[in-house]
Amino acid sequence: MNDSNIPPLLPQPAFAGVPAGHATPPPPGADPEEQAPIPNVFAAVEAILRQPRRVMFQLRQPGSERLIAAMLLASLLCSMIYGVIVGTFSGGDQLWAAPVKAAVGLLISALICLPSLYIFSCLGGSKARLVEVVGLVAGLLLLMTVLLIGFARVAWVFSQSTESVAAMGALHLAFWLISTCFGIRFLNAGFAQHSRSVDGLKVWTAIFLLVMAQMTTALRPIVGKADTLLPTEKKFFVTHCVDSLKTGR
């Protein structure tokens, strides 16, 4: 058998900027399309949906503060729009109270959890700057709220066809959990490039979910009506959920 007839083994293709034989994905910006600037809020929304790595790349560039501000502005606007849909269930004061509570609760939850995210990222070996961590959280919020806008019509249909506060609360909770999962995926991808361990990020995700759940209880009612704008009684969110299921309110 003539060995000269055996074709040479071809090298495995490698990602741009990554040596052959390594399965690590290329860093954001390896594709020239990912280096395109994000000039405004509308471009930020489109990029977070279609090219999240483009957002990650821009967050590492000088002047990323404008992009972060645009994403935060868009996320607040989207959360208020969805809040209006939540408010249509009860009408009246809830048409303005629910949007304000939704936007404020989301922003406060992110601010409360931001320091712990930066600490966990440092412990995990990440070299991300604080401004980049803030940008990744802004991207998480933007993706969450844009997805909520996608669920808004479905939520409106149910809000106009049922009188059960518990059922509507469960529906909004399901939409919130789905949206949060996609937002967390964006956050994980952002830290995957320069973190040795993701254990801290998993712990932070649980903390973030708990804080947001408690915030909805602290700002209740968001779904339904009450005699006061804010509650006069302190409650743990699990207790509030159980009480709502028992009373149906």
Side-chain angles (χ1 to χ4, degrees):
M1 186 174 181
N2 190 355
D3 293 340
S4 61
N5 293 329
I6 301 176
L9 293 176
L10 297 176
Q12 295 294 323
F15 293 111
V18 180
H22 288 69
T24 305
D31 186 340
E33 292 184 0
E34 298 172 357
Q35 300 180 17
I38 302 176
N40 51 52
V41 173
F42 301 103
V45 172
E46 184 176 7
I48 202 73
L49 293 173
R50 295 178 178 271
Q51 297 174 299
R53 289 168 54 84
R54 179 182 170 195
V55 176
M56 297 172 196
F57 174 79
Q58 295 299 329
L59 290 175
R60 299 182 180 183
Q61 308 310 306
S64 61
E65 293 82 3
R66 292 183 59 184
L67 173 59
I68 295 172
M71 291 194 295
L72 287 175
L73 177 63
S75 62
L76 289 176
L77 180 61
C78 290
S79 62
M80 292 188 72
I81 293 174
Y82 188 79
V84 172
I85 301 300
V86 176
T88 58
F89 175 74
S90 300
D93 291 341
Q94 284 296 85
L95 288 174
W96 66 266
V100 171
K101 290 180 180 181
V104 171
L106 189 64
L107 183 60
I108 292 179
S109 298
L111 290 175
I112 290 174
C113 297
L114 180 61
S116 59
L117 176 61
Y118 182 68
I119 293 172
F120 280 130
S121 67
C122 292
L123 292 176
S126 172
K127 296 182 180 179
R129 299 169 299 152
L130 178 59
V131 66
E132 187 177 344
V133 175
V134 174
L136 291 174
V137 173
L140 180 155
L141 298 180
L142 178 57
L143 186 53
M144 280 179 59
T145 53
V146 168
L147 287 173
L148 285 175
I149 292 296
F151 292 129
R153 290 188 177 185
V154 179
W156 179 83
V157 169
F158 280 90
S159 69
Q160 301 304 307
S161 58
T162 181
E163 295 182 354
S164 173
V165 176
M168 284 306 304
L171 181 68
H172 290 305
L173 179 63
F175 289 160
W176 166 71
L177 285 173
I178 294 171
S179 302
T180 303
C181 287
F182 280 92
I184 294 297
R185 284 180 58 185
F186 170 81
L187 191 72
N188 287 336
F191 280 109
Q193 299 293 330
H194 41 61
S195 293
R196 295 191 302 267
S197 173
V198 296
D199 292 339
L201 192 56
K202 294 178 180 178
V203 174
W204 182 86
T205 298
I207 294 173
F208 183 58
L209 291 172
L210 290 173
V211 169
M212 285 198 295
Q214 185 62 30
M215 191 60 63
T216 61
T217 303
L219 296 176
R220 69 185 188 278
I222 298 178
V223 180
K225 294 181 178 180
D227 297 332
T228 58
L229 182 62
L230 293 174
T232 56
E233 178 187 6
K234 296 181 179 179
K235 271 189 179 182
F236 185 49
F237 74 91
V238 175
T239 303
H240 174 59
C241 289
V242 172
D243 291 344
S244 297
L245 291 174
K246 288 181 179 179
T247 61
R249 301 180 57 185

